[in-house]
Amino acid sequence: MRPFTYARAGDEAAAIRAVSSGGRGTRFLAGGTTLYDLMKLGAEAPERLVDISALPGLASFDTAGPRELVFGAGARMSDVAADSRLVAEYPALSESLWKAASQQLRNMASLGGNLLQRTRCAYFRGGEPFACNKRTPGSGCAAREGIDRGHAVLGGSEACIATYPGDWAVALVAFDAVVDVAGPNGARTIPLQALHREPGTTPEVETSLARDEMILRIRVPATPLGRASTYHKIRDRESYAFALASAAVALWMEGDVVREARIALGGLATRPWRAQEAEAGLVGRPLTLEAARAAGEAALRNARPGHHNAFRIELGTRTVAEALLIAQRRA
Amino acid sequence: MSDMPYPDALRVDAFDKVRGVQRYAADNARPGLAHAVLATATIARGTVRRIDAAAARAVPGVRLVLTHEELNGLKPPGFLMGGGYGFQSIQPITSPHIAYRGQPIALVVADNLEAAAEGARLIRADYAAEPHQVTLDAPEADIVAQADSPLPKPMFADVKAGEADAAYAAAAIRIEADFRHPPQHQNPIEMLSTVAEWRDGHLTVHEGTQNAEAIRHGLARQLGIEPERITVLSPSAGGGFGQKNSLQAHTVLAAEAARRLERPVKLVVTRAQIFHDSSFRPASRHRIRLGADTAGRMVALIHETDSQTSRHDLFPTQYTELSARLYGIAGFRGRERLVRTDVQTPGYMRAPYEHPAAFAVECCVDELAYRLGRDPVALRLANDTTADPITGQPYSSRYLAECLRRGAARFGWDRRSMEPGSMRAEDGSLMGWGVAIGAYKAATAAAIARLRLSADGAVTFSVGVHEMGQGIRTAIFAVLVRRLGVEPGRITLEIGSTGTTPQHLTAGSWGTATAIPAAEEVCDALLRALETLPSRLSLAERLRAAGRPYLEVEVSRRAPGQPEAVMGRLTSGLPAAMGPAYPGYVSFSHVAHFVEVRVEPSTRRIRVPRVVSVADCGRVISPRTAASQLRGGVIWGIGAALREVSEVDVRYGGFLNADLAEYVLPVHADIGTIDVEFVDAPDPRLNAAGVKGLGEVSMVGVAPAIANAVHHATGRRLRALPIRVEDLL
Ligand SMILES: Cc1cc2nc3c(=O)[nH]c(=O)nc-3n(C[C@H](O)[C@H](O)[C@H](O)COP(=O)(O)OP(=O)(O)OC[C@H]3O[C@@H](n4cnc5c(N)ncnc54)[C@H](O)[C@@H]3O)c2cc1C
Ligand code: SF4
């Protein structure tokens, strides 16, 4: 294991200062469930870690506000998942956390770290001898002609088809969440949809954050769509597995007719994937089985299969359709 | 004494395990311990041209780096199936040759684990790669017909009975199908780990194993020292499942490093490395041809297999030993071939032959039931037998029909409608009910048992058997408590560690049938020795009356018909088990599994909410741990059928999903109700205790019962495991 230094930050400003002045090898550390894992695999090799997991204030969250829900980046997945207001008013948000990882991991992991988890692509994680543009830019992509069963069918590029594995960000994208971040040059707010990048020709660049920018909180506008929502996750086993396909869906129904719909896809794309075209197709019409299926098809219309993952296009289509019906029952 | 059922009793080590008191080899953290980490090959086949360890040696805290340049004097362990002790014949890091990706190329030893890991990362090798091949689709030259191979005969000759081909050709109903089984890995939670230490020329090895004696004798061979100078301590292994059945490749490396450093060395093989540094269930494919007459009598079964082996060893297969014996089919022909691939040598993962073979055969039997329009349970009952089709001998006991009848009643099988897709659950999902049977040889190993009663009433018992979590300690306690009337708190068991009685390989479900009869016999011997003293006194009082501080008795026991010479194998760490064919009879354990699956109508997820399993393992000695074994076997079957696959990228060799997040085992949420029952009828012909084996038979037949249930739910016959979402979309 490569040597690294570890320091615990006293407050947010100090943490940002430490990461900024520490230079390229300096990183924020929250629960460590992603970062330590990747360090052991040699996929990350920071020289300095600045621990923000004990920062006062960063862990708080408030789901009762009239205008927005506010989640500190340091809040634990398990605490937020169990929040009774979230369970009742925004089931999709709670479910996306409940259905992620394991209880032990959720007890450790923070919401901010969760957003920044990295792909589970086995070639990326395995390192040598695999070619991987994300791990070693320019080395090639072993997945394209390899075991791509879990790889993305949406948003991939010549250089990389790695799936964004997280669940929480998918649910957030459906609810138009934003993230407040702060860096040495001040604070800014980014729509969650603009946080993650598609791989393009630079798969090693995964987000629009600067290295020394810290996520402070995530904000979700309060919306009547919360109640009739679900995070539907299909995986290879019933728990402790990443999504083969998932859908975060939220509905605002007027009688039988859809007034507004939100659809985001997980497990299928290189980043959290909002399916606005599919949403638009539902509005103003009754939500029938056929309409749900059509929305699923619209959401996956531009999907491109590889060698072993074509089934996930059909699976994704059905997952969206099923999720819409689950959400409808909650309306 | 086989006439009385045993009462339920607590697992004797449960309390310690729950509290984390139970210690495993890797828990050893004594001061002065050095830590070792393996560096492994990144090519699938070839040669190490040059290895650069300078950077590794320069890491602060690194004390020793061993490469093939240092270790070329170490001798190979010999292959378990070729008169040796190792899971494979080659010893990594003793030559520049690379036989598979993941093969160790260097060992780095340091004062702490972090430095050792960093050193291992910095090992640089320059390779000359050669073309490799890792699938069953191999060129002819890599395919070996087992019958024509040097493997010993008749053990590995093709199994034949009657005229299968002619009977098949003439059969009114013929079913032909191909089945595929992927490679899978055992993944016991206790990883392969060794602490090795030398003191005054004596080597002590702490390692969880199923075969302490093979480690001892194999290390002696590799290190060129007397076995008397080696002690192997394995009081409790954290799961084995066949992975820990022999001398592992890393053990001698820890011993050698400890010798050179003159300090104890701990070597834990990481989870990812275990996928490449120990045996696994090989990929196999099976062609079945099953013929029957219109009345539903099966008349011919032809079972042809291709199974993966390594390039350096022939890991033999015995798939057809099982398929020939599930039913009373007069015409049987087997043909088994081995396919050489560039991997480590595969091995005996739980029910190694029986689970894949039963999958192939039992799916075809279900298909036959549908061709005949006959209830699958009734068809099986109609084809049961009392004589072994291969040898013509009777079974010592065979309660398969009883398992099927009891299971059907318990499951509510009579409420099943035959038509596929005809049953719906309350939630609208498709419901399928499937059945399949399984069998596993009732083998027995030679054993020496020793019992000491002290005048203070304490009892010390030793026999050759290992505790891997299956519950053998609890079973032995049950016998000692019943026979000697001794309090459990006064019993000390010495098992799993060398230096007491010979610690023969514990595998193949022969542990109970080996240790329990030996325990009963040695109790009898003790009681006989005390017979002359007044019987109203307790055993310890009699001893005191005789003025003796203790009394020790020993018995030596062979399987029925085993020659005297087998004791030599026992004491030299070689396999000394036999079965299923004994003089005058054949012995098998049997099981019937009934499975309910639900298939979601939309996303087609398959769930297994309910399983009923009834087993015939002879007399049940420890009801609690036996039930746990059976449930565990069912869970393995669910994993094997629906979850587990070691993924192979042919370009790179090795295994891709080498960790517990990506190698998909069932989790709690995947498991519903598993309702188990035992026939609990003793088999006194096999041994006086009436016990057969249980661990392995438990999982045989689960996978086909699931596949058959999936067919019942959906009308689809799925013949390649694992069955996953994509297969039903
Ligand atoms: C076996 C396993 C299974 C899993 N399964 C799932 C699953 O099914 N679904 C799912 O969604 N997730 C899953 N995860 C991922 C898990 O949810 C993440 O590892 C976790 O949420 C990361 O949070 P953390 O606090 O531990 O982050 P860390 O590991 O501490 O950090 C992760 C990254 O984020 C950066 N970072 C952390 N906090 C901040 C911040 N406030 N500002 C800026 N940068 C920051 C770190 O520098 C680092 O790069 C799984 C993980 C494992 C190991
Ligand atoms: S898909 Fe991306 S992460 Fe995976 S191997 Fe290709 S480049 Fe690397």
Side-chain angles (χ1 to χ4, degrees):
Chain A
M1 163 140 280
R2 298 181 211 197
F4 60 88
T5 65
Y6 167 94
R8 194 164 258 212
D11 59 32
E12 283 145 30
I16 293 165
R17 261 197 318 278
V19 171
S20 185
S21 63
R24 267 175 48 84
T26 312
R27 303 286 298 277
F28 296 107
L29 173 75
T33 62
T34 284
L35 194 51
Y36 286 150
D37 183 27
L38 293 173
M39 285 165 69
K40 289 191 218 166
L41 294 171
E44 301 244 25
E47 287 153 23
R48 283 166 295 277
L49 294 183
V50 178
D51 188 346
I52 56 171
S53 65
L55 290 188
L58 203 64
S60 64
F61 60 96
D62 179 3
T63 55
R67 289 188 25 245
E68 59 180 15
L69 293 72
V70 183
F71 302 97
R76 308 264 162 240
M77 287 172 73
S78 49
D79 293 339
V80 177
D83 179 72
S84 57
R85 223 159 2 226
L86 207 62
V87 170
E89 303 291 332
Y90 296 85
L93 290 176
S94 166
E95 287 168 0
S96 75
L97 294 167
W98 272 126
K99 294 181 184 179
S102 65
Q103 187 64 45
Q104 292 88 336
L105 286 159
R106 294 191 294 267
N107 288 343
M108 284 298 292
S110 68
L111 297 185
N114 184 292
L115 295 179
L116 301 182
Q117 64 182 285
R118 304 189 68 186
T119 186
R120 300 296 297 188
C121 172
Y123 302 101
F124 167 73
R125 290 171 59 82
E128 262 194 289
F130 307 125
C132 173
N133 287 326
K134 194 187 277 295
R135 193 152 165 160
T136 312
S139 63
C141 170
R144 286 200 71 92
E145 298 300 323
I147 308 290
D148 61 359
R149 180 174 182 268
H151 285 75
V153 292
L154 289 164
S157 70
E158 236 4 85
C160 179
I161 50 169
T163 301
Y164 173 77
D167 296 304
W168 166 239
V170 175
L172 289 176
V173 150
F175 285 106
D176 291 332
V178 298
V179 283
D180 294 335
V181 305
N185 304 322
R188 61 181 179 129
T189 297
I190 319 172
L192 200 102
Q193 222 182 333
L195 180 65
H196 298 90
R197 297 174 74 254
E198 286 177 33
T201 55
T202 53
E204 71 280 12
V205 185
E206 294 174 354
T207 71
S208 54
L209 287 185
R211 181 190 56 78
D212 51 9
E213 274 184 311
M214 179 172 157
I215 301 179
L216 300 178
R217 69 190 73 82
I218 301 154
R219 290 184 288 123
V220 177
T223 162
L225 282 97
R227 257 177 194 272
S229 75
T230 188
Y231 186 75
H232 193 42
K233 180 175 176 184
I234 310 299
R235 37 193 159 165
D236 274 325
R237 58 185 164 197
E238 293 294 311
S239 175
Y240 188 49
F242 291 92
L244 289 169
S246 70
V249 155
L251 291 172
W252 184 355
M253 303 293 292
E254 273 176 351
D256 286 346
V257 173
V258 178
R259 176 160 166 190
E260 200 181 331
R262 305 283 179 80
I263 302 175
L265 303 179
L268 293 160
T270 54
R271 61 181 177 84
W273 197 267
R274 182 81 179 262
Q276 261 138 345
E277 196 189 324
E279 295 170 1
L282 289 168
V283 173
R285 298 167 48 194
L287 182 59
T288 59
L289 276 178
E290 294 69 33
R293 167 84 204 177
E297 284 171 3
L300 274 295
R301 185 153 300 139
N302 297 321
R304 286 224 313 263
H307 296 277
H308 308 282
N309 60 6
F311 78 94
R312 287 182 28 252
I313 298 178
E314 177 60 24
L315 184 66
T317 305
R318 295 188 191 190
T319 305
V320 169
E322 181 77 9
L324 284 165
L325 300 175
I326 296 170
Q328 185 183 31
R329 288 197 289 275
R330 292 175 178 175
Chain B
M1 283 298 278
S2 62
D3 49 338
M4 248 161 55
Y6 276 83
D8 185 43
L10 294 179
R11 189 188 270 270
V12 295
D13 43 13
F15 195 51
D16 282 351
K17 284 191 174 176
V18 168
R19 290 179 304 150
V21 171
Q22 183 84 56
R23 294 279 120 179
Y24 297 91
D27 295 329
N28 203 315
R30 75 193 56 197
L33 195 63
H35 296 260
V37 173
L38 294 166
T40 59
T42 53
I43 60 161
R45 188 184 176 194
T47 321
V48 175
R49 263 208 226 107
R50 214 176 67 82
I51 187 155
D52 181 358
R57 290 202 165 91
V59 173
V62 167
R63 299 286 164 212
L64 180 70
V65 178
L66 296 173
T67 70
H68 65 90
E69 286 158 8
E70 284 78 23
L71 290 182
N72 52 26
L74 271 189
K75 294 190 194 61
F79 179 36
L80 184 67
M81 296 307 294
Y85 299 98
F87 87 86
Q88 61 181 352
S89 58
I90 59 171
Q91 174 59 52
I93 329 193
T94 56
S95 98
H97 177 66
I98 300 299
Y100 51 89
R101 182 164 75 79
Q103 179 181 323
I105 56 168
L107 183 76
V108 180
V109 194
D111 293 337
N112 56 66
L113 181 60
E114 293 77 8
E118 174 64 357
R121 191 182 69 79
L122 292 172
I123 296 284
R124 280 285 154 266
D126 177 17
Y127 302 100
E130 289 166 35
H132 66 272
Q133 194 299 106
V134 288
T135 73
L136 291 177
D137 302 311
E140 272 307 307
D142 286 341
I143 302 177
V144 182
Q146 196 160 273
D148 306 331
S149 76
L151 288 163
K153 311 291 170 337
M155 197 171 177
F156 300 111
D158 282 344
V159 176
K160 281 195 178 70
E163 293 301 325
D165 291 277
Y168 180 74
I173 298 169
R174 290 196 290 264
I175 310 256
E176 179 169 358
D178 290 313
F179 296 84
R180 281 180 167 268
H181 201 294
Q184 295 176 334
H185 281 76
Q186 290 97 327
N187 282 302
I189 287 299
E190 183 200 22
M191 301 203 278
L192 295 178
S193 36
T194 297
V195 172
E197 57 179 326
W198 294 82
R199 202 167 290 159
D200 305 326
H202 190 98
L203 170 65
T204 301
V205 169
H206 306 255
E207 178 175 328
T209 179
Q210 302 170 242
N211 197 349
E213 216 62 62
I215 295 182
R216 180 159 81 116
H217 287 85
L219 283 179
R221 176 191 281 194
Q222 290 199 276
L223 296 166
I225 61 173
E226 291 299 309
E228 289 65 37
R229 285 172 53 198
I230 302 176
T231 303
V232 178
L233 301 176
S234 179
S236 189
F241 317 112
Q243 184 184 73
K244 297 174 182 161
N245 67 359
S246 47
L247 176 56
Q248 303 298 313
H250 72 281
T251 309
V252 75
L253 302 174
E256 183 61 21
R259 180 158 75 174
R260 290 182 187 223
L261 283 174
E262 296 180 4
R263 67 193 262 204
V265 168
K266 173 152 87 176
L267 171 52
V268 178
V269 184
T270 67
R271 184 63 67 186
Q273 288 170 346
I274 283 173
F275 277 79
H276 302 103
D277 205 29
S278 70
S279 68
F280 62 102
R281 189 193 298 287
S284 65
R285 59 183 167 209
H286 304 255
R287 162 151 303 181
I288 300 288
R289 276 168 283 171
L290 175 64
D293 62 22
T294 47
R297 184 81 219 155
M298 297 182 217
V299 294
L301 178 60
I302 302 168
H303 185 180
E304 295 173 325
T305 66
D306 285 339
S307 190
Q308 175 180 30
T309 187
S310 65
R311 201 169 290 287
H312 43 278
D313 293 312
L314 290 178
F315 173 67
T317 62
Q318 294 183 300
Y319 296 109
T320 59
E321 284 267 333
L322 185 275
S323 44
R325 283 166 156 140
L326 283 172
Y327 297 99
I329 306 178
F332 182 88
R333 183 174 65 74
R335 189 218 58 193
E336 303 189 45
R337 303 196 306 178
L338 305 176
V339 181
R340 291 197 188 271
T341 58
D342 296 295
V343 296
Q344 75 272 28
T345 304
Y348 296 90
M349 176 161 151
R350 198 174 192 174
Y353 311 125
E354 298 74 12
H355 149 69
F359 171 61
V361 174
E362 282 293 274
C363 286
C364 284
V365 169
D366 200 65
E367 215 168 321
L368 176 64
Y370 274 82
R371 284 276 281 280
L372 290 161
R374 189 89 183 268
D375 173 72
V377 173
L379 177 70
R380 285 174 168 85
L381 287 171
N383 281 279
D384 194 18
T385 180
T386 51
D388 173 44
I390 302 180
T391 59
Q393 303 274 12
Y395 285 98
S396 58
S397 67
R398 179 172 167 115
Y399 295 100
L400 176 62
E402 180 83 10
C403 294
L404 275 166
R405 284 196 200 95
R406 285 206 206 177
R410 213 175 166 105
F411 189 81
W413 185 257
D414 57 353
R415 297 196 308 275
R416 179 182 187 265
S417 66
M418 185 83 179
E419 191 61 32
S422 62
M423 293 174 75
R424 283 275 187 295
E426 320 78 64
D427 64 355
S429 57
L430 294 160
M431 188 156 85
W433 288 2
V435 64
I437 60 166
Y440 192 91
K441 66 174 194 279
T444 314
I448 294 173
R450 194 178 299 141
L451 181 65
R452 174 195 276 239
L453 172 70
S454 301
D456 65 359
V459 164
T460 304
F461 174 72
S462 172
V463 69
V465 76
H466 300 74
E467 174 65 82
M468 306 86 85
Q470 81 277 39
I472 193 66
R473 283 179 183 275
T474 308
I476 292 173
F477 265 60
V479 170
L480 298 181
V481 167
R482 176 182 277 191
R483 282 310 187 86
L484 305 177
V486 56
E487 291 288 319
R490 308 303 323 266
I491 300 174
T492 304
L493 292 191
E494 292 177 344
I495 59 171
S497 298
T498 64
T500 55
T501 53
Q503 292 300 311
H504 180 265
L505 165 62
T506 304
S509 278
W510 61 63
T512 307
T514 299
I516 296 302
E520 292 204 341
E521 280 184 25
V522 82
C523 287
D524 288 343
L526 182 86
L527 294 171
R528 269 197 309 278
L530 291 170
E531 236 164 33
T532 50
L533 295 160
S535 65
R536 60 189 160 70
L537 300 178
S538 77
L539 296 181
E541 284 166 345
R542 284 190 244 174
L543 208 54
R544 287 199 292 274
R548 299 186 56 174
Y550 68 88
L551 177 63
E552 187 170 286
V553 289
E554 183 179 294
V555 301
S556 157
R557 196 175 177 280
R558 284 171 277 143
Q562 247 181 345
E564 178 77 52
V566 79
M567 298 316 282
R569 291 181 64 82
L570 177 69
T571 50
S572 54
L574 292 168
M578 78 174 279
Y582 299 94
Y585 58 88
V586 169
S587 293
F588 270 82
S589 291
H590 296 95
V591 71
H593 299 287
F594 293 80
V595 169
E596 175 174 319
V597 303
R598 306 241 175 129
V599 179
E600 258 190 355
S602 58
T603 52
R604 311 292 273 178
R605 278 182 292 185
I606 304 170
R607 297 193 169 97
V608 185
R610 189 162 78 94
V611 179
V612 169
S613 301
V614 182
D616 153 34
C617 60
R619 171 60 80 219
V620 175
I621 304 294
S622 165
R624 177 145 333 187
T625 55
S628 169
Q629 278 285 311
L630 186 45
R631 270 187 229 110
V634 170
I635 293 167
W636 273 66
I638 293 172
L642 301 175
R643 301 278 182 267
E644 294 176 52
V645 49
S646 301
E647 283 162 7
V648 176
D649 183 326
V650 296
R651 301 167 302 169
Y652 294 99
F655 299 96
L656 202 56
N657 52 336
D659 70 54
L660 281 186
E662 312 294 332
Y663 181 87
V664 184
L665 291 159
V667 293
H668 281 295
D670 291 315
I671 304 302
T673 316
I674 303 174
D675 193 7
V676 301
E677 185 177 325
F678 295 93
V679 175
D680 200 7
D683 183 336
R685 211 164 163 185
L686 183 60
N687 54 60
V691 299
K692 302 193 279 189
L694 176 63
E696 314 243 11
V697 79
S698 300
M699 92 171 276
V700 183
V702 177
I706 291 171
N708 293 340
V710 168
H711 168 263
H712 185 231
T714 65
R716 299 275 307 275
R717 290 271 173 217
L718 295 167
R719 303 191 178 98
L721 297 184
I723 298 169
R724 298 191 287 194
V725 166
E726 55 260 54
D727 297 309
L728 286 177
L729 277 178

